[in-house]
Amino acid sequence: MIKNVLVTARSKLEMHRANSGQNRLGNASSIKQRPDGSVYISGQMQRHAFFEALKAIDEEEGTYVSNGDATSYQVEKDLRADLGGFMLSETLSGEQARRTAPLSAEPAVAEEKSSTVRDLLLRLKTDGNTDNNIATQELSQEDVMNWSMSLNLRKLSTSERYYFDADEEEDRGMHVKTERIRHCSLEEKRRRAELFLQAASKVNEHSSQARNMTTAEPFEVLVVLDNTISRKAAQYFDSPSTKKKAIRAELDARGAEYFFGSDLDEEEDFVFEAFNKAKKALGEQEIYDNADQQLPYAETYESVPAL
């Protein structure tokens, strides 16, 4: 039974600023770097790029990916609300206002110290105003970056409803029961898990991509279909050979299934083949589901208005 899906990968980015900041001049600030000089792409930006990829591949009628600054609570329809979670304290209150994301992403980090260059950025005004903006734009020349994403199938498309035993009406009391509610069919939950793999293989839409195209599509990947909630395999590509062997041995010992792909080694599956095999296995095997019943999110909590 699959409880967690993990993707860990290596990608090569050239002349990029995939996680540059924003200021009043636009994307004209410095690229993000760790103190050791390695460029990184934040987990938040990785999630943004993931959901842009998800938006491009989800063609199922009845589901959609909401805008990042206007997430709904329709977990049964909105894939961002389901995989990405939400905090809607202005709309809802209590436990129903917060959904912990089944999807987690670690920052993509360059394996070695990055070498950066600066380009001149000049913005000329055509209205006769001579107050033009001049700035420099920092680019990282070439980085091989490690990154990982994980999907917790225990939480995917599922919420927990708590029951309390209180002596007085205003007293919350003691937590005595948990009911688990799935917000879509089991088939749809499986489809969303498969979409996770597809989107993770096409993570591209980072900062400033409209003007400076780069890609974070991996040239090496390890996909793990795990029977427990573990993220240790996320350390695979930045580990020495002994630790890599230990990670594979641990996965084998508990019966987890994993798929390695490399576009650099003809004796291994290519990356797209590893993703395809993982998706096929995900479609054939039992996925974790402990739901007591199926309800739309609004019906799960009495105080949530139906949209």
Side-chain angles (χ1 to χ4, degrees):
M1 179 183 295
I2 304 172
K3 293 184 179 180
N4 195 80
V5 182
L6 182 139
V7 174
T8 186
R10 300 175 73 208
S11 302
K12 184 177 181 180
L13 286 80
E14 297 178 297
M15 296 301 290
H16 75 95
R17 49 201 311 270
N19 201 174
S20 58
Q22 296 277 355
N23 61 17
R24 64 186 182 89
L25 297 177
N27 263 3
S29 57
S30 298
I31 197 169
K32 296 183 184 294
Q33 288 180 274
R34 301 194 313 185
D36 64 3
S38 299
V39 163
Y40 71 91
I41 304 172
S42 69
Q44 181 181 5
M45 179 59 74
Q46 285 287 89
R47 279 168 49 104
H48 164 77
F50 170 85
F51 281 111
E52 289 300 305
L54 184 62
K55 187 184 300 184
I57 63 177
D58 178 38
E59 299 180 347
E60 185 74 11
E61 184 176 353
T63 63
Y64 69 102
V65 179
S66 62
N67 190 14
D69 57 2
T71 304
S72 77
Y73 50 78
Q74 296 187 99
V75 177
E76 61 274 16
K77 298 179 181 179
D78 183 355
L79 301 189
R80 188 188 294 269
D82 185 8
L83 277 72
F86 50 75
M87 176 71 77
L88 301 173
S89 56
E90 295 183 1
T91 307
L92 307 175
S93 62
E95 64 193 60
Q96 61 267 31
R98 181 178 65 250
R99 174 171 172 76
T100 303
L103 169 71
S104 56
E106 71 170 8
V109 181
E111 293 182 348
E112 299 179 357
K113 182 178 179 180
S114 304
S115 177
T116 62
V117 296
R118 285 190 173 272
D119 281 347
L120 179 67
L121 181 66
L122 177 63
R123 293 185 176 180
L124 300 176
K125 294 185 177 181
T126 58
D127 58 0
N129 191 330
T130 59
D131 185 20
N132 299 310
N133 290 330
I134 301 177
T136 58
Q137 176 176 276
E138 188 175 25
L139 301 170
S140 184
Q141 296 187 69
E142 182 177 308
D143 295 297
V144 174
M145 310 189 82
N146 293 338
W147 57 269
S148 300
M149 293 184 181
S150 177
L151 183 67
N152 186 337
L153 298 188
R154 295 182 72 256
K155 296 179 180 179
L156 180 64
S157 308
T158 306
S159 297
E160 292 184 342
R161 183 164 60 184
Y162 305 122
Y163 293 85
F164 299 90
D165 183 16
D167 295 331
E168 299 180 9
E169 186 173 339
E170 296 181 357
D171 183 19
R172 188 177 188 185
M174 299 179 63
H175 176 200
V176 295
K177 179 183 176 183
T178 300
E179 188 177 19
R180 296 166 183 86
I181 312 297
R182 184 170 13 88
H183 304 299
C184 63
S185 67
L186 187 56
E187 292 75 16
E188 172 63 12
K189 179 176 178 177
R190 185 188 301 275
R191 186 186 78 90
R192 294 181 185 188
E194 294 174 357
L195 285 176
F196 164 75
L197 285 179
Q198 291 178 255
S201 70
K202 296 293 186 290
V203 175
N204 289 312
E205 295 293 330
H206 296 91
S207 175
S208 196
Q209 294 305 283
R211 288 172 287 174
N212 182 43
M213 187 190 78
T214 60
T215 176
E217 293 179 45
F219 64 85
E220 283 191 326
V221 70
L222 180 70
V223 182
V224 180
L225 307 182
D226 215 336
N227 51 20
T228 189
I229 307 299
S230 173
R231 296 168 181 166
K232 186 175 181 178
Q235 305 169 5
Y236 186 81
F237 285 115
D238 58 0
S239 299
S241 58
T242 301
K243 188 174 181 180
K244 288 180 179 178
K245 183 178 179 180
I247 290 173
R248 293 195 301 267
E250 184 176 333
L251 293 172
D252 289 333
R254 66 170 176 261
E257 194 167 4
Y258 56 92
F259 305 85
F260 179 79
S262 175
D263 292 343
L264 305 179
D265 189 346
E266 293 184 355
E267 296 183 359
E268 300 284 356
D269 287 334
F270 292 131
V271 166
F272 83 92
E273 293 174 322
F275 273 113
N276 287 343
K277 286 183 177 181
K279 181 183 175 183
K280 183 175 184 294
L282 186 58
E284 294 174 347
Q285 296 184 30
E286 182 181 5
I287 63 172
Y288 185 85
D289 182 69
N290 63 348
D292 300 303
Q293 60 176 310
Q294 179 179 326
L295 288 173
Y297 192 81
E299 294 182 27
T300 302
Y301 304 99
E302 294 180 357
S303 60
V304 178
L307 294 177

